Amino acid sequence: TKMQGSGYTDHLNRHPAENICHGFDFAAYLGRPLNTYITINFDVESADHSGAIFRAIRHKFRDWLNRRTKKLYGAALSPMYVYTHENPDGHAHCNWVLHVPPELQAEFDTKREKWIARAHKNVRHYDVKAKPVDPTTAKSLAKYIIKGIDARFVAYLHLHAYAAPQGRVWGRRAGTSEAIGRAARKAAGFKAKRDRGKLRAANDDARAAA
């Protein structure tokens, strides 16, 4: 992303945008599709600290997921998520799309409210919206959350129906968790054009049984 000054960006660049799209595909390929979409809206008081606030929320989620999945499955699951920060017309918010194990969804819904409140500390003015991800429209959601793309890459990523300026964001504008990031995809030999829509878990089970 082109830096207009120290510490902020005015748009999303090609590589983090591609990472998010491929992250959606890879999570589904692994049998753990991104199934929960959360929007955290920040008001004027908390907007300048949105990056740090969201980082604290992610850490709470990671620790909880590690503990609960280790107990449930005997092995901890790595967090899988993507996110973008946006700030159109001074309306700072974060789009967070993640995989929550279905068995833990109800508990997650309760816990996340506490994590968000604690991360804000004394700044209580914020708003949270959450909804399940429809797998048939997941790709459209991926395109929606990267709509703040640099205009140079709108055609390349087929974002004509979505692209719109999303304001200036301080700190990291977008991210993909390590488990579905570029290095993990490369290690798994995942090729988005070839493998999207496939399910690796089924193939792995077949190999194990052979």
Side-chain angles (χ1 to χ4, degrees), residues 38-40 42 46 49-61 81-85 93-98 115-116 119-120 172-176:
I38 297 172
T39 307
I40 305 171
F42 303 96
S46 58
H49 310 288
S50 59
I53 290 169
F54 182 57
R55 189 160 54 248
I57 295 165
R58 295 200 312 274
H59 289 170
K60 292 283 189 184
F61 168 66
Y81 59 77
V82 299
Y83 68 87
T84 57
H85 285 278
H93 61 278
C94 179
N95 300 298
W96 186 24
V97 192
L98 63 158
W115 301 335
I116 294 170
H120 277 79
R172 191 170 184 181
R173 193 177 192 103
T176 305

Side-chain angles (χ1 to χ4, degrees), residues 58-73:
R58 295 200 312 274
H59 289 170
K60 292 283 189 184
F61 168 66
R62 178 198 63 198
D63 293 346
W64 169 81
L65 185 71
N66 181 289
R67 184 178 66 256
R68 294 295 286 119
T69 55
K70 191 178 293 183
K71 184 175 181 180
L72 266 183
Y73 312 126

Side-chain angles (χ1 to χ4, degrees), residues 164-185:
Q166 294 301 307
R168 178 164 292 179
V169 170
W170 291 86
R172 191 170 184 181
R173 193 177 192 103
T176 305
S177 67
E178 186 176 337
I180 54 174
R182 185 178 293 129
R185 298 194 303 270

Side-chain angles (χ1 to χ4, degrees), residues 25 98 147 155:
D25 291 331
L98 63 158
K147 61 187 175 294

Side-chain angles (χ1 to χ4, degrees), residues 40 69 87 98 103 115 122 144 160 193 195:
I40 305 171
T69 55
N87 189 27
L98 63 158
E103 303 92 330
W115 301 335
N122 296 325
Y144 174 76
H160 295 96
K193 288 184 179 179
D195 298 325

Side-chain angles (χ1 to χ4, degrees), residues 13 17 45 63 72 85 122 132 134-135 137-139 141 150 152 158 181 187 196 199 204 207:
N13 208 348
E45 286 184 67
D63 293 346
L72 266 183
H85 285 278
N122 296 325
D134 180 342
T137 58
K139 191 53 110 180
L141 176 58
D150 185 327
R152 293 176 297 169
H158 309 291
R196 68 167 56 101
L199 182 62
D204 287 350
R207 289 193 201 103

